[in-house]
Amino acid sequence: MKKLINDPNNVVVEALKGMEKAHGDILKINFEPAYITRKSPTKKGKVAIISGGGSGHEPMHGGYVGFGMLDAACPGAVFTSPTPDQMEEATKAVDGGAGVIHLVKNYTGDVMNFQMAADNCADEGIKVEAIIIDDDVAVKDSLYTAGRRGVGATVLTEKIIGASAERGDDLATVISYAKYCKDNGRSMGMALTSCILPAVGKPIFEIGDDEIEMGVGIHGEPGRERMKLKPANELVDMMLDPVLSDISLKNGDEIILMLNGMGGTPLIELYLLFNRAVETAQKKGIKTVRCLVGNYITSLEMQGFSITVLKANSEILKLWDAPVHTAGLRWGI
Amino acid sequence: MKKLINDPNNVVVEALKGMEKAHGDILKINFEPAYITRKSPTKKGKVAIISGGGSGHEPMHGGYVGFGMLDAACPGAVFTSPTPDQMEEATKAVDGGAGVIHLVKNYTGDVMNFQMAADNCADEGIKVEAIIIDDDVAVKDSLYTAGRRGVGATVLTEKIIGASAERGDDLATVISYAKYCKDNGRSMGMALTSCILPAVGKPIFEIGDDEIEMGVGIHGEPGRERMKLKPANELVDMMLDPVLSDISLKNGDEIILMLNGMGGTPLIELYLLFNRAVETAQKKGIKTVRCLVGNYITSLEMQGFSITVLKANSEILKLWDAPVHTAGLRWGI
């Protein structure tokens, strides 16, 4: 195993310490249990938003804590759900009295543990609502997941509802945007290579020198098909078509498009892939009006990419364009 | 070769098209010859700054074109110097009448081609000054380079002098900051793995499953030593010590520290490495007052990292904190 670590058991804690040193102007970290909050406490009356999940997908989610996005994030062990006490303590820490939203990616462990935390918080009088993101069109039911997996649309949802909460929208309004994103965001990914969990020390799946996993999950879960590598343009089209058709996008629609690297893919390739994605959407009359190109939801050093599309409208674009100041996304501030 | 490309000969052009689609609000691209400029023409009387070099190091340099940083960038073929006509046309395109700075990384081809372009521009009455960045302390003389290689300090220099030019400083002043960065910025890198050039199709160097290249160059040039993989903390200290001592940093000094991924290293590992780098500097009484942690100057999908240190002072920090709006760096705007 070739990794830039000290002790496999300390990777997450040492990385969190590094995050705190790098972004101490934005966030602070609680270590027992582990959760990341903004540096400043939640304003009274603001809806708070929490996400979380296994580590190894950085910058998600800790990199999205800050003004205009999340109030807290709960990092689990690498590729492992955080424990209920993490979400419970984080929820109590950021509750501003206007309700707390748990934004959950659809994995059985995450859903169950967030639910336990929500129940405990409800017992103490905190109003918690959960939104479960399940945007991955590749497969229905998967390793670790009943139903579709939650992937890239989570990042876009965090931005949209983060802006809504920041401007002072009430819980019902913020939840309505979360539901919009859940209903109108779709993704699909693929992998050229596997990745190695620090605590395991060998690749999480085997793949041939000329093979790819089409529809891969962010934990290396099997996708639709193991196939031979194809030219980039063909791969983009194979992934974009099911994504666009699943939300019935039609001629004249506008989208926010995220071309996301899995962690080990060079940026030069991501731009090349993005070029094709925009052209293919355009041929169907669908216009890419905002985008992200880079590593936003990763799988350690895995090579590959994913495409996420969120149908846009003027209100969604207003929320997208609102100022954000996090380690992973920043503009307007 | 497992790459997300179509035709090895079209990688740079297709990626540039993707960049233009993604960042059309910031930049525009000229294809024959290839150079990237800001969307808006240079204001009359503003010093213009151009950098360039082989592609494959994204986001450098095209990702640093925009308000508060570069006026233009010239992308060569992958790991290949741009040609003199690229720099010449870019220089003419962004000349605002107050002088043009060529910020050049110290590789023989880059230096020679930028010089030819500068000579041609001088013949046409454009005032060009070149600054050659040679910050890599790993080796003296290397493959492709007479003298030390130019690496990560280039990114920090682009930010510092970009801010100086943006606020209206004259050529001599902007050059003085460039010289400051050249004199007070140092770097060192290491690699766990090699990378594959699209046009070559096999790794540019061989490396064992338990080996690293300490002091590697951004084109995979040999470093100081081929050695067995060590714990991350030891690696950081082995690299930071020569960097800090080369600019004679002492107790009480402040630094800007960039912990840079080579392209294929997960962000979780970069934060872990950064944590150690800050602690090790602190033990010597050196305080990290600003930082970048992420992929800023890469070598395609290479796994590894580099550390760059720039000695700070109040004026340098003022320039660092000034607003910047590029694809690769953005704040305050």
Side-chain angles (χ1 to χ4, degrees):
Chain A
M1 173 175 59
K2 247 180 176 178
K3 286 198 168 288
L4 296 163
I5 63 174
N6 295 298
D7 174 345
N9 298 313
N10 287 344
V11 170
V12 173
V13 166
E14 290 176 53
L16 288 173
K17 287 181 178 172
M19 272 201 87
E20 191 168 45
K21 287 185 174 71
H23 309 296
D25 55 330
I26 303 175
L27 48 80
K28 61 181 180 182
I29 299 187
N30 192 80
F31 286 92
E32 293 285 347
Y35 60 86
I36 303 166
T37 64
R38 300 189 193 184
K39 196 180 177 190
S40 324
T42 310
K43 268 189 305 186
K44 207 169 155 49
K46 178 188 173 296
V47 172
I49 304 167
I50 301 179
S51 194
S55 293
H57 306 298
E58 291 71 21
M60 187 183 77
H61 296 277
Y64 302 132
V65 172
F67 183 89
M69 223 163 157
L70 298 179
D71 293 275
C74 302
V78 176
F79 288 12
T80 302
S81 296
T83 52
D85 63 318
Q86 293 179 259
M87 288 84 139
E88 184 178 340
E89 293 305 317
T91 302
K92 291 175 184 169
V94 302
D95 174 35
V100 179
I101 295 175
H102 286 176
L103 191 65
V104 188
K105 299 192 302 303
N106 191 35
Y107 299 97
T108 305
D110 289 13
V111 172
M112 194 172 64
N113 291 356
F114 264 109
Q115 181 61 51
M116 286 177 62
D119 290 345
N120 291 347
C121 290
D123 289 346
E124 301 194 28
I126 300 174
K127 190 169 171 57
V128 178
E129 292 215 35
I131 289 286
I132 296 169
I133 300 292
D134 56 349
D135 57 312
D136 189 338
V137 301
V139 293
K140 204 167 163 52
D141 299 332
S142 166
L143 227 51
Y144 319 126
T145 323
R148 293 199 305 209
R149 301 173 297 220
V151 289
T154 315
V155 177
L156 306 190
T157 306
E158 290 176 7
K159 173 66 185 83
I160 297 294
I161 71 171
S164 167
E166 204 68 63
R167 74 181 177 190
D169 289 350
D170 64 12
L171 184 62
T173 307
V174 183
I175 284 286
S176 74
Y177 288 120
K179 285 184 178 156
Y180 174 91
C181 293
K182 177 182 167 72
D183 292 342
N184 292 280
R186 293 292 185 274
S187 299
M188 189 159 156
M190 64 78 67
L192 295 177
T193 63
S194 181
C195 61
I196 296 177
L197 301 190
V200 176
K202 61 187 173 95
I204 56 175
F205 62 89
E206 295 297 328
I207 188 162
D209 281 346
D210 58 349
E211 283 182 331
I212 63 169
E213 182 70 31
M214 175 54 70
V216 74
I218 57 170
H219 313 98
E221 304 98 313
R224 290 186 168 189
E225 195 181 348
R226 181 65 60 98
M227 57 174 66
K228 299 286 178 198
L229 178 63
K230 299 182 191 306
N233 287 355
E234 280 183 50
L235 297 172
V236 168
D237 293 354
M238 287 180 71
M239 292 157 68
L240 191 59
D241 287 345
V243 163
L244 295 177
S245 63
D246 203 82
I247 34 177
S248 308
L249 285 164
K250 57 184 193 306
N251 196 354
D253 281 341
E254 296 189 333
I255 57 172
I256 300 173
L257 198 163
M258 178 168 77
L259 198 305
N260 171 65
M262 289 294 196
T265 301
L267 189 52
I268 192 171
E269 294 179 18
L270 299 182
Y271 279 123
L272 179 153
L273 296 161
F274 178 73
N275 182 55
R276 176 64 170 199
V278 173
E279 285 177 351
T280 296
Q282 188 63 51
K283 276 187 199 136
K284 297 171 193 286
I286 297 163
K287 192 171 176 199
T288 303
V289 292
R290 298 291 187 280
C291 68
L292 294 176
V293 183
N295 293 316
Y296 294 98
I297 165 173
T298 61
S299 303
L300 295 170
E301 72 277 15
M302 186 186 283
Q303 290 181 27
F305 72 105
S306 62
I307 298 177
T308 296
V309 166
L310 177 66
K311 187 177 172 180
N313 60 44
S314 61
E315 191 56 31
I316 291 296
L317 291 178
K318 197 168 149 189
L319 293 165
W320 182 259
D321 291 339
V324 60
H325 184 183
T326 68
L329 275 193
R330 183 171 181 181
W331 56 73
I333 199 166
Chain B
M1 174 176 60
K2 247 179 177 180
K3 286 198 168 288
L4 296 162
I5 62 174
N6 295 298
D7 173 346
N9 298 313
N10 287 346
V11 171
V12 173
V13 166
E14 290 176 54
L16 288 173
K17 287 180 178 172
M19 271 201 88
E20 191 168 46
K21 287 186 175 70
H23 310 295
D25 55 330
I26 302 174
L27 47 80
K28 60 181 180 182
I29 299 188
N30 191 80
F31 286 92
E32 294 284 346
Y35 61 85
I36 302 166
T37 64
R38 299 188 193 185
K39 196 179 177 189
S40 325
T42 309
K43 268 190 304 187
K44 205 167 153 54
K46 178 187 173 296
V47 172
I49 305 168
I50 301 178
S51 194
S55 293
H57 306 298
E58 291 71 20
M60 187 181 79
H61 296 276
Y64 302 132
V65 172
F67 183 89
M69 225 162 154
L70 298 179
D71 294 275
C74 303
V78 176
F79 288 12
T80 302
S81 296
T83 51
D85 63 318
Q86 292 178 259
M87 289 85 139
E88 184 177 340
E89 292 305 317
T91 302
K92 290 176 184 168
V94 302
D95 174 35
V100 179
I101 296 176
H102 286 176
L103 191 64
V104 188
K105 298 192 303 306
N106 191 36
Y107 299 97
T108 305
D110 289 13
V111 172
M112 194 172 65
N113 291 357
F114 264 109
Q115 181 60 50
M116 285 177 61
D119 290 346
N120 291 348
C121 290
D123 290 346
E124 301 193 29
I126 301 174
K127 190 168 173 57
V128 177
E129 292 216 35
I131 290 285
I132 296 169
I133 300 292
D134 56 350
D135 57 313
D136 189 338
V137 302
V139 292
K140 204 167 164 51
D141 299 331
S142 165
L143 228 52
Y144 320 126
T145 323
R148 293 200 305 210
R149 299 173 298 219
V151 289
T154 315
V155 177
L156 306 190
T157 306
E158 290 175 7
K159 174 65 186 82
I160 298 294
I161 70 171
S164 167
E166 204 67 64
R167 74 180 177 191
D169 290 350
D170 66 12
L171 184 62
T173 306
V174 183
I175 284 286
S176 74
Y177 288 119
K179 285 185 177 155
Y180 174 91
C181 293
K182 176 183 168 74
D183 292 343
N184 291 280
R186 293 291 184 275
S187 299
M188 190 158 156
M190 64 78 67
L192 295 177
T193 63
S194 181
C195 60
I196 296 177
L197 302 190
V200 176
K202 59 186 174 100
I204 56 175
F205 62 89
E206 295 297 328
I207 188 161
D209 280 345
D210 58 350
E211 283 182 331
I212 62 168
E213 182 70 32
M214 175 54 69
V216 75
I218 57 170
H219 312 97
E221 304 97 312
R224 289 185 168 188
E225 195 181 346
R226 180 66 59 99
M227 57 175 67
K228 299 286 178 197
L229 178 62
K230 298 181 192 306
N233 287 355
E234 281 183 49
L235 297 172
V236 167
D237 292 355
M238 287 180 71
M239 291 158 68
L240 191 59
D241 287 346
V243 163
L244 296 176
S245 64
D246 203 83
I247 34 177
S248 308
L249 285 165
K250 57 185 193 306
N251 196 353
D253 281 341
E254 295 189 333
I255 57 171
I256 299 172
L257 198 163
M258 178 168 76
L259 198 307
N260 171 66
M262 290 295 196
T265 301
L267 188 52
I268 193 171
E269 295 180 15
L270 299 183
Y271 278 123
L272 179 152
L273 296 161
F274 177 73
N275 182 54
R276 175 65 170 198
V278 172
E279 285 178 350
T280 296
Q282 189 62 51
K283 276 188 198 134
K284 297 172 193 285
I286 297 163
K287 193 172 175 198
T288 303
V289 293
R290 299 291 186 281
C291 69
L292 293 176
V293 183
N295 293 316
Y296 294 99
I297 164 173
T298 61
S299 302
L300 295 169
E301 72 277 14
M302 186 185 284
Q303 290 182 28
F305 72 104
S306 63
I307 298 177
T308 296
V309 166
L310 177 66
K311 188 178 173 180
N313 60 44
S314 62
E315 190 57 31
I316 290 297
L317 291 179
K318 196 168 149 189
L319 293 165
W320 182 259
D321 291 339
V324 60
H325 185 184
T326 68
L329 275 192
R330 182 170 181 181
W331 55 72
I333 199 166

